[in-house]
Amino acid sequence: MEHASQSRLQEQLREVTLSNCTLEAEIDQLKRGTQGLTRSEQHLQLMASHIDEAFWLVSPDERELYYVSPAYVAIVGHSCDSLYADPASWIESLHPDDRQTVLAEQGGRGAGPHRDSRDHEYRVVHEDGSVHHVWIRSVPVFSDDGSLVARAVVALDVTERKTAEDELRSAALHDKLTTLPNRALLTERLTDAIQRSKQEPGYKFAVLFLDFDRFKIINDSLGHEVGDLLLISIAQRLTANLRRNDRATRFQEGHLPARLGGDEFVIVLDGIRDLSDATAVAERLQVALSAPHAIGGHDVISTASIGIVTSAGEYDRAEDILRDADTAMYHAKNTGKARHVVFDERMHQDAVDQLNLEEELRRAVGKEQFRLDYQPIVELSTGRLTGFEALIRWEHPERGDVPPLEFIGLAEEIGLIVPMGTWVLAEAASQIKLWHDRYPQDPPLEMNINLSRRQLTHSDIVETVSRIIRDTGVDASTLKLEVTESTLMKSPERMTGLLEELKGLGVHLCMDDFGTGYSSLSCLHHFPIDVLKIDRTFILNTDENREYAAVIHAIITLAHTLKMSVVSEGVETGGQVAQLQALECDAAQGNYFAAAMTATAAEAYIQRPQGFAKSA
Ligand code: C2E
Ligand code: MG
Ligand code: MG
């Protein structure tokens, strides 16, 4: 609801409350005026003319109407005459659904006059058919000797307040954009469904959690207005497809999807027979949702990834079902999108493990639980050590060293990679500077440092690298920044600009894991790259597979044409070394020479005699 209309409603509510207070004062006045009541109609009418509100005065047994004000007659639309003739007939002006309740609240017609004040709220139906909400206060009127002589009833038409309250409630339970139920209403429904599944054996329900693939890209590229229209269109499609009378699953009419926020929607499938009913609906929705949406001259396509949970999991809380459905949806997204995945308990355990790891990782950054290991890189023509690749290790207090593949992805996902990567850069740069000072050689030792995608896209990497070069005093040309092929290929143009800027600082650049990122050789010349690192999977296969050798040969030849040098990763055998030498590969790195080692061990390695002839 718009802010303006919300505050208008609140204003109305305030007014009604204020007039409630006025009413209290008027009731007092009425009570005072009727002390020692005379049944003079004239006197009463005179008194009533001072009160604007609807009110009436009846005998204690409510059989005789002494007076009814024109304001009340206006609310119900009956003539005064009919009310005077039969005061009990007022009950007929009540909404049929409210009659019983009002009578019960009054303590029953036959219970005799009561001596206390009473408040009621009910609906009356005007002669013209309109329904009004009326609040009444009925107070006893006593004579000087304390006997009950009448009841004075004051009524207030609270229809506006009621409507305002209903509107506020509806606004609080519905999504403004799509008008679908929101999280609050969904939670109510889910809680009801959970209750019911506990009470009624055989009653089952399922929850479908939908998230739209590529929604963010659409929003970012076509604008938020198109994004909003897409969400409305999605809501309509979901609604249309769920409303369809589904005999197989006996869905209740009106079980609309809810929008949780963003591009997340949830559907509660009420009264399913088994899981296959839920997967059938998911499949049907996926088909319906995969057709393009015609929006603002675009054909917008956004498929849905769907997570499914059934009530078989014996849940107690709505939020737990939503959490598991979300987890299953996440799996659907991560395993190819535009599909559905049914939740199983292992996913929950994985998610918990992941969350624990995430917490530990956040703490680890503060506690400096990281270390860099260094793996030698060796020139293949001579066997000379040219430098190292810095590889991060997490020194976990209980689990020991955790390899980077187990936490780099997570660190990237939660943004921790940026501070972590900055630390790696600074640490590796000062380490190589130290080794330059201690072990000067010509050309000087180099340091390869891995950069992750997020470091390039979500931090001022150029500024960071430049500051570190300044602070450590390292020779920039000995730093080799490694960027994986897949990072480059995700946004080649943007990356090229960034790499050019980095090169402007004097550092060298490597394309890491070449051969795994689906770039074609023809793309290579677009990037300002100095070194190509051929991925380990190619090297592994060269021993037994001649085709791989041919591919490597092609890569090396092209790289050399483009003035790039080539390093082979993961070299493990003397046979591979010989083959790579024959293919004129420039350098290699792998367990054949040495695995990654601590800084102390690397320092000892530097001091070893260098070259193939001597070390063989
Ligand atoms: P990478 O950059 O391709 O590093 C080479 C990986 O291959 C290292 O794994 C290394 O230990 C391993 N390796 C080297 N020689 C051999 C061998 O002969 N046989 C086998 N089987 N493996 C070998 P590690 O240290 O587990 O690192 C894995 C990946 O984690 C790295 O792959 C890199 O992508 C990433 N990584 C490591 N440190 C950092 C870092 O500081 N920042 C970022 N962003 N990523 C890092
Ligand atoms: Mg690397
Ligand atoms: Mg690599």
Side-chain angles (χ1 to χ4, degrees):
M1 179 179 298
E2 296 297 327
H3 180 69
S5 69
Q6 202 148 9
S7 47
R8 182 178 55 77
L9 287 176
Q10 273 156 358
E11 184 57 31
Q12 284 174 0
L13 283 177
R14 236 192 327 272
E15 277 169 19
V16 173
T17 319
L18 279 178
S19 71
N20 261 354
C21 298
T22 329
L23 202 55
E24 305 267 350
E26 284 172 352
I27 288 171
D28 274 352
Q29 190 193 340
L30 183 66
K31 278 168 114 177
R32 278 197 304 277
T34 48
Q35 299 290 327
L37 184 79
T38 68
R39 294 187 183 181
S40 150
E41 213 171 280
Q42 237 180 353
H43 179 94
L44 284 168
Q45 289 200 0
L46 187 68
M47 207 173 56
S49 65
H50 294 295
I51 300 174
D52 292 335
E53 308 297 340
F55 93 102
W56 65 92
L57 200 61
V58 283
S59 60
D61 61 6
E62 295 184 26
R63 283 179 203 279
E64 195 175 346
L65 180 65
Y66 300 146
Y67 180 71
V68 57
S69 75
Y72 187 73
V73 174
I75 296 176
V76 291
H78 292 303
S79 76
C80 293
D81 294 345
S82 68
L83 282 171
Y84 281 119
D86 178 13
S89 71
W90 75 280
I91 198 83
E92 277 144 37
S93 63
L94 295 198
H95 191 284
D97 291 350
D98 288 357
R99 286 180 198 162
Q100 280 309 319
T101 336
V102 170
L103 288 178
E105 277 177 5
Q106 282 190 327
R109 301 290 280 168
H114 38 76
R115 302 174 65 86
D116 52 352
S117 289
R118 296 191 173 191
D119 294 346
H120 304 287
E121 202 169 307
Y122 53 77
R123 288 167 292 175
V124 297
V125 184
H126 189 276
E127 287 277 293
D128 67 9
S130 60
V131 175
H132 293 254
H133 289 265
V134 177
W135 177 88
I136 65 165
R137 167 156 294 172
S138 150
V139 291
V141 181
F142 300 102
S143 66
D144 288 341
D145 64 5
S147 53
L148 180 65
V149 288
R151 291 194 73 77
V153 185
V154 184
L156 196 61
D157 187 333
V158 292
T159 311
E160 264 191 30
R161 187 200 78 199
K162 270 284 182 194
T163 316
E165 277 173 359
D166 287 350
E167 275 183 46
L168 276 179
R169 183 175 150 77
S170 168
L173 294 177
H174 289 84
D175 167 49
K176 199 173 82 190
L177 180 69
T178 61
T179 72
L180 291 182
N182 64 9
R183 182 187 287 270
L185 185 50
L186 171 74
T187 307
E188 276 183 21
R189 282 184 181 170
L190 267 176
T191 310
D192 290 348
I194 291 170
Q195 280 303 326
R196 204 174 145 196
S197 70
K198 289 193 187 305
Q199 285 156 3
E200 277 177 43
Y203 168 78
K204 290 181 194 146
F205 68 93
V207 171
L208 266 51
F209 196 114
L210 286 77
D211 184 288
F212 286 80
D213 308 321
R214 298 172 58 249
F215 181 75
K216 193 176 154 11
I217 299 175
I218 293 167
N219 225 3
D220 290 349
S221 57
L222 299 180
H224 286 240
E225 267 175 37
V226 171
D228 282 356
L229 291 173
L230 174 61
L231 290 172
I232 293 170
S233 174
I234 285 170
Q236 286 165 349
R237 269 193 209 174
L238 288 175
T239 309
N241 275 278
L242 287 166
R243 276 225 177 108
R244 222 171 66 175
N245 201 0
D246 203 317
R247 227 183 278 146
T249 45
R250 297 176 285 122
F251 296 135
Q252 291 182 0
E253 183 80 10
H255 254 224
L256 294 179
R259 178 171 173 229
L260 282 197
D263 60 340
E264 291 179 343
F265 293 80
V266 170
I267 297 156
V268 181
L269 298 179
D270 204 13
I272 54 164
R273 288 169 309 189
D274 54 32
L275 179 63
S276 66
D277 281 346
T279 52
V281 175
E283 272 156 29
R284 194 177 76 210
L285 289 179
Q286 255 151 349
V287 172
L289 291 166
S290 63
H293 301 257
I295 294 170
H298 303 276
D299 266 350
V300 184
I301 296 182
S302 183
T303 50
S305 294
I306 305 182
I308 303 175
V309 176
T310 65
S311 52
E314 309 217 328
Y315 290 94
D316 289 322
R317 297 185 312 173
E319 64 197 81
D320 293 342
I321 298 194
L322 287 178
R323 176 204 61 212
D324 288 352
D326 187 11
T327 303
M329 181 282 293
Y330 190 74
H331 276 253
K333 213 167 243 297
N334 274 352
T335 48
K337 302 196 169 79
R339 56 195 301 267
H340 60 265
V341 165
V342 180
F343 176 79
D344 78 53
E345 203 34 55
R346 263 216 28 235
M347 285 178 193
H348 178 56
Q349 197 47 50
D350 287 352
V352 170
D353 290 349
Q354 179 86 349
L355 212 63
N356 286 340
L357 191 71
E358 189 178 316
E359 255 173 51
E360 288 177 343
L361 195 58
R362 284 186 199 281
R363 268 185 264 131
V365 173
K367 288 187 179 165
E368 296 171 0
Q369 290 176 358
F370 297 100
R371 174 187 88 227
L372 287 185
D373 274 0
Y374 300 92
Q375 185 172 36
I377 299 173
V378 173
E379 188 173 56
L380 278 173
S381 57
T382 60
R384 182 182 64 92
L385 172 74
T386 61
F388 294 90
E389 175 171 8
L391 295 162
I392 194 167
R393 300 292 177 256
W394 176 8
E395 297 175 335
H396 193 283
E398 285 113 45
R399 290 201 274 159
D401 278 4
V402 183
L405 290 181
E406 284 180 34
F407 66 88
I408 289 284
L410 178 61
E412 173 112 29
E413 211 174 287
I414 61 180
L416 267 184
I417 194 75
V418 175
M420 201 185 268
T422 304
W423 175 81
V424 170
L425 275 163
E427 178 75 10
S430 40
Q431 184 65 71
I432 196 66
K433 167 74 174 124
L434 185 84
W435 287 337
H436 288 161
D437 294 343
R438 286 189 189 159
Y439 314 104
Q441 65 179 57
D442 189 22
L445 286 171
E446 296 163 337
M447 183 62 84
N448 286 38
I449 304 169
N450 294 285
L451 294 185
S452 79
R453 179 176 162 74
R454 202 180 173 113
Q455 274 177 281
L456 292 164
T457 54
H458 283 79
S459 73
D460 193 350
I461 188 69
V462 181
E463 162 60 24
T464 306
V465 173
S466 140
R467 178 173 50 78
I468 287 170
I469 294 170
R470 234 182 9 250
D471 291 354
T472 56
V474 72
D475 172 359
S477 70
T478 62
L479 298 184
K480 290 187 158 174
L481 305 184
E482 299 193 0
V483 183
T484 63
E485 184 192 10
S486 47
T487 296
L488 289 183
M489 291 316 292
K490 267 199 188 128
S491 37
E493 269 146 42
R494 185 170 169 199
M495 285 298 160
T496 309
L498 208 52
L499 296 186
E500 298 279 11
E501 279 189 66
L502 282 170
K503 280 203 76 163
L505 302 175
V507 300
H508 289 113
L509 299 173
C510 309
M511 187 187 275
D512 200 359
D513 303 345
F514 184 77
T516 58
Y518 311 108
S519 66
S520 67
L521 288 172
S522 58
C523 286
L524 267 185
H525 69 277
H526 290 305
F527 301 110
I529 289 291
D530 306 288
V531 181
L532 209 62
K533 296 187 80 175
I534 304 181
D535 192 69
R536 189 162 70 84
T537 44
F538 284 89
I539 312 303
L540 264 181
N541 287 299
T542 43
D543 268 349
E544 63 263 21
N545 195 326
R546 297 206 131 269
E547 261 174 49
Y548 275 92
V551 172
I552 291 175
H553 182 62
I555 294 173
I556 294 173
T557 312
L558 179 71
H560 285 169
T561 320
L562 296 171
K563 306 268 180 291
M564 297 176 182
S565 70
V566 180
V567 178
S568 293
E569 302 184 299
V571 174
E572 294 182 347
T573 67
Q576 289 166 346
V577 172
Q579 199 161 19
L580 289 166
Q581 281 170 327
L583 293 170
E584 295 183 11
C585 180
D586 304 282
Q589 173 184 351
N591 294 350
Y592 174 74
F593 302 103
M597 57 187 91
T598 61
T600 318
E603 194 153 338
Y605 193 91
I606 297 172
Q607 297 172 71
R608 276 182 13 164
Q610 302 281 321
F612 284 128
K614 289 176 224 156
S615 62

